[in-house]
């Protein structure tokens, strides 16, 4: 089994493989998804459980396997019949931990997640400008006091991650007049919804100017604890939103930045440990809101639409746009 950082070439499956393949869905997948995928593929949809046991597999014991689910159990991870795994989630770091089986195509579900997360980021940015957290606290305390607000237009947002999610976040923020600066890889093409594009190595001058910092990074070796002391302490009253992956942020460093006022407030949709235990330090962070990994909940229609797109690309002998580059981690 290759290391996570090993090279991975995106290529279509061998001709005719899908004609012979059996399709199986993992636990927790809605019945409507199974019905639509059965109609698309023209074959019965099997199931597999958390132990990797296939159900309804009579007559398909030797067929290549196409799996759709959230996790790939160890028993199936080493099964040579598995040729394609379609993740029902956009983030695949948990699947890649410990390596990915050679020769197995990995695709993912994005659906309308970018639109949902963009709306989420805009909602929290506007709520922050309008002082909504303070109004809620004063209402709970039965205190009547006017609170100044600020315009979102003209503020600057650093959006880390310029892929599907990051560009959708930038589109939403830019619609409110927020100046968006995309922070991504050097080879990413300029343009899109960003007003400006920079690399992570060039973000220093921007950190002190940002009103909002949006973490939309995938989790890779390069992004683990990306937001740690150097970046967080360089902020000057920015609001920090994490819609990427929990492990891209050092919570101790975030706590110190909040205490020092470098970070005005934080909205965390994702954490390394989910759900956090009652005594977890994240519950004690000042001016921090947790939103329980709900910014971009995947709908069944997202799964079926993206699987359909991958299926059609493979039937045409093409590599799906949603195929994961395992060496990069996304």
């Amino acid at each position: 089994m290759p290391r996570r950082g090993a090279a991975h070439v995106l290529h279509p499956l061998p001709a005719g493989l899908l004609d012979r393949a059996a399709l199986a869905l993992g636990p927790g997948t809605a019945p409507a998804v199974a019905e639509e995928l059965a109609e698309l593929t023209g074959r019965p949809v099997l199931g597999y459980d958390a132990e990797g046991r296939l159900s309804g597999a009579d007559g398909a014991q030797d067929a290549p396997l196409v799996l759709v689910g959230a996790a790939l159990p160890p028993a199936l991870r080493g099964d040579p019949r598995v040729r394609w795994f379609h993740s029902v989630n956009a983030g695949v770091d948990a699947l890649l931990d410990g390596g990915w089986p050679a020769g197995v195509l990995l695709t993912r579900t994005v659906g309308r997640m970018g639109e949902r997360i963009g709306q989420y980021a805009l909602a929290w940015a506007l709520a922050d400008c309008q002082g909504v957290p303070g109004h809620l606290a004063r209402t709970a305390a039965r205190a009547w006091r006017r609170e100044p607000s600020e315009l979102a237009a003209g503020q600057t947002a650093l959006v880390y991650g310029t892929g599907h999610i990051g560009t959708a976040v930038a589109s939403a923020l830019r619609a409110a007049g927020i100046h968006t600066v995309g922070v991504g890889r050097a080879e990413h093409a300029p343009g899109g919804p960003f007003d400006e594009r920079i690399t992570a190595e060039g973000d220093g001058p921007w950190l002190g100017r940002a009103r909002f910092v949006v973490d939309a990074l995938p989790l890779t070796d390069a992004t683990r604890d990306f937001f740690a002391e150097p970046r967080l302490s360089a902020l000057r009253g920015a609001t920090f939103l994490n819609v990427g992956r929990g492990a891209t942020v050092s919570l101790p460093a975030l706590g110190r930045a909040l205490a020092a006022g470098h970070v005005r407030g934080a909205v965390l949709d994702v954490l390394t440990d989910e759900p956090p235990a009652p005594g977890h330090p994240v519950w004690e962070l000042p001016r921090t809101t947790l939103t329980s990994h709900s910014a971009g909940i995947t709908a069944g229609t997202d799964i079926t639409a993206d699987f359909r797109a991958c299926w059609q690309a493979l039937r045409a002998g093409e590599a799906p746009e949603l195929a994961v580059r395992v060496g990069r981690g996304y």
Side-chain angles (χ1 to χ4, degrees):
M1 183 177 294
R3 293 178 297 106
R4 175 170 168 172
H8 181 76
V9 179
L10 298 180
H11 56 80
L13 297 174
L17 185 142
L18 292 182
D19 293 330
R20 300 181 288 110
L23 176 64
L25 269 62
T29 309
V33 173
E35 292 171 7
E36 187 163 343
L37 294 190
E39 181 179 351
L40 167 66
T41 60
R43 68 203 67 189
V45 177
L46 314 179
Y48 71 88
D49 63 18
E51 302 301 320
R53 294 182 293 255
L54 290 172
S55 59
D58 294 343
Q61 292 89 342
D62 298 323
L65 292 177
V66 174
L67 305 180
V68 178
L72 183 59
L76 290 172
R77 185 175 286 263
D79 191 326
R81 295 175 298 169
V82 178
R83 302 302 305 276
W84 171 21
F85 184 87
H86 182 77
S87 172
V88 299
N89 299 311
V92 295
D93 47 278
L95 287 168
L96 298 180
D97 279 349
W100 185 250
V104 178
L105 175 67
L106 175 60
T107 56
R108 65 194 184 114
T109 299
V110 173
R112 300 184 70 179
M113 183 176 296
E115 184 180 344
R116 294 186 180 97
I117 294 178
Q119 181 173 284
Y120 169 99
L122 176 60
W124 283 103
L126 294 178
D128 200 32
C129 287
Q130 291 298 317
V132 169
H135 287 305
L136 293 174
R138 280 185 290 281
T139 299
R142 300 187 179 186
W144 179 272
R145 191 179 76 201
R146 297 182 71 183
E147 187 73 15
S149 62
E150 57 184 314
L151 289 173
Q155 306 284 3
T156 295
L158 297 183
V159 181
Y160 286 79
T162 54
H164 180 81
I165 302 300
T167 54
V169 168
S171 292
L173 297 180
R174 200 176 180 191
I178 297 174
H179 185 83
T180 60
V181 179
V183 188
R185 298 171 65 99
E187 65 266 29
H188 281 185
F194 298 100
D195 293 297
E196 302 187 52
R197 298 285 291 267
I198 63 174
T199 64
E201 294 75 19
D203 67 351
W206 289 96
L207 291 169
R209 299 161 55 183
R211 175 63 179 82
F212 303 101
V213 173
V214 182
D215 176 0
L217 293 169
L219 181 60
T220 67
D221 292 340
T223 63
R224 189 175 297 276
D225 284 337
F226 183 89
F227 287 99
E229 204 76 46
R231 281 190 171 86
L232 294 173
S233 63
L235 299 175
R236 294 293 177 265
T239 296
F240 181 83
L241 294 87
N242 188 4
V243 296
R245 308 304 285 174
T248 60
V249 181
S250 166
L251 286 182
L254 178 60
R256 290 189 289 271
L258 284 159
H262 300 306
V263 175
R264 178 184 311 215
V267 182
L268 307 179
D269 189 57
V270 289
L271 299 172
T272 303
D273 302 313
E274 295 181 2
H280 196 288
V282 73
W283 296 113
E284 304 302 322
L285 292 179
R287 305 183 306 284
T288 296
T289 302
L290 307 184
T291 60
S292 308
H293 214 136
S294 60
I297 295 175
T298 302
T301 51
D302 294 328
I303 299 170
T304 55
D306 283 358
F307 182 88
R308 179 185 295 274
C310 294
W311 176 271
Q312 292 173 343
L314 290 166
R315 294 298 295 242
E318 302 170 355
E321 291 186 8
L322 292 167
V324 174
R325 291 167 173 80
V326 173
R328 287 187 178 179
Y330 57 91

